[in-house]
Amino acid sequence: MTKKQRVLAVIERLKKEYPEASCTLAYEDAWQLLVSVRLAAQCTDARVDQITPLLYEKFPSVAALAAADPSEIEAIVRPCGLGPSKARDISKCMRVLHEQYDDQVPTTFEELLALPGVGRKSANLVMGDVFGKPAIVTDTHCIRLCNLIGLVDNIKDPAKVERELWKIVPPEEGNDLCHRFVLHGRAVCVARRPQCDVCCLADVCKHAAAR
Ligand code: SF4
């Protein structure tokens, strides 16, 4: 089975298993997704979703966050961990949106990537979820599952995994596939104790075949 055949089978199986594929972070506007994804580094999505309503109650817009002192942002986002750097990045990012983009989120990958605190993962997430463009979000679940299933060969670097996946995943499928990797990585293919016996991918998975 080639990697291309394997990934097409994985896409079909996971679609049946998880019909709803969407971001697990709560947001109403594109700029809020940028804030949430920055807060989600080394933190759970559930914790982020508890904190962001408190942040938006005090700072309900890009302009309000841009005008805030980073210490005021940090006081609220501290429970997400890495408070000082996350608050600093959010502050800088919102200031750029306010000053250069009229409070809007830019629509190209390159512009997103140039924003303070925005990496490839965040830029892809916004491209896919907000703008409906082809995107591949290589988070920890995606990287673990792709290596286990055999879609990549012992590659842990997010950018390299992304590059390999672009070669085999139909562009229009990438964004939803990555959301489904997260769901499957939480429910079945959990870290260090994958539940291969009940997994819908067992017959197309390299790890399961090698057991
Ligand atoms: S068969 Fe096992 S290792 Fe492969 S995806 Fe399923 S749970 Fe993960």
Side-chain angles (χ1 to χ4, degrees), residues 185-201:
R186 287 177 181 168
V188 179
C189 191
V190 290
R192 286 182 291 280
R193 47 185 175 85
Q195 316 281 308
C196 304
D197 294 341
V198 295
C199 180
C200 63
L201 304 178

Side-chain angles (χ1 to χ4, degrees), residues 118-189:
V118 175
R120 296 190 68 84
K121 178 184 158 192
S122 312
N124 267 300
L125 193 61
V126 172
M127 289 304 286
D129 277 10
V130 176
F131 301 127
K133 300 272 176 59
I136 287 181
V137 179
T138 49
D139 77 334
T140 176
H141 294 288
C142 172
I143 293 169
R144 186 177 74 255
L145 268 68
C146 285
N147 277 281
L148 286 168
I149 295 167
L151 301 178
V152 300
D153 299 315
N154 201 23
I155 303 176
K156 300 291 157 61
D157 178 69
K160 287 183 183 160
V161 172
E162 184 192 328
R163 197 160 58 234
E164 292 305 306
L165 289 181
W166 279 118
K167 294 177 190 168
I168 56 171
V169 176
E172 69 280 8
E173 300 284 359
N175 193 47
D176 285 351
L177 175 63
C178 292
H179 286 319
R180 291 186 171 106
F181 278 147
V182 174
L183 297 172
H184 199 56
R186 287 177 181 168
V188 179
C189 191

Side-chain angles (χ1 to χ4, degrees), residues 9-18 184 188-189 195-205:
V10 168
I11 288 168
E12 288 314 308
R13 304 283 176 86
L14 291 183
K15 272 187 190 176
K16 287 199 185 97
E17 200 75 5
Y18 309 99
H184 199 56
V188 179
C189 191
Q195 316 281 308
C196 304
D197 294 341
V198 295
C199 180
C200 63
L201 304 178
D203 63 323
V204 294
C205 173

Side-chain angles (χ1 to χ4, degrees), residues 12-116:
E12 288 314 308
R13 304 283 176 86
L14 291 183
K15 272 187 190 176
K16 287 199 185 97
E17 200 75 5
Y18 309 99
E20 296 296 323
S22 59
C23 181
T24 51
L25 290 165
Y27 66 96
E28 289 179 2
D29 291 302
W31 65 269
Q32 293 180 345
L33 181 56
L34 282 177
V35 171
S36 289
V37 78
R38 181 65 190 94
L39 292 178
Q42 296 181 41
C43 181
T44 64
D45 290 357
R47 170 66 62 87
V48 172
D49 287 346
Q50 284 175 346
I51 297 301
T52 47
L54 307 176
L55 186 65
Y56 304 145
E57 196 180 321
K58 186 159 185 193
F59 305 109
S61 63
V62 170
L65 272 172
D69 190 275
S71 64
E72 296 178 283
I73 299 172
E74 190 201 339
I76 299 173
V77 305
R78 196 174 293 132
C80 296
L82 306 173
S85 67
K86 288 181 180 178
R88 196 173 53 241
D89 283 346
I90 289 169
S91 169
K92 283 185 187 167
C93 184
M94 294 301 122
R95 285 177 189 184
V96 172
L97 294 189
H98 185 59
E99 289 161 13
Q100 297 181 23
Y101 293 101
D102 198 20
D103 290 1
Q104 302 301 307
V105 172
T107 56
T108 70
F109 188 79
E110 290 69 25
E111 288 173 309
L112 285 165
L113 204 53
L115 293 172

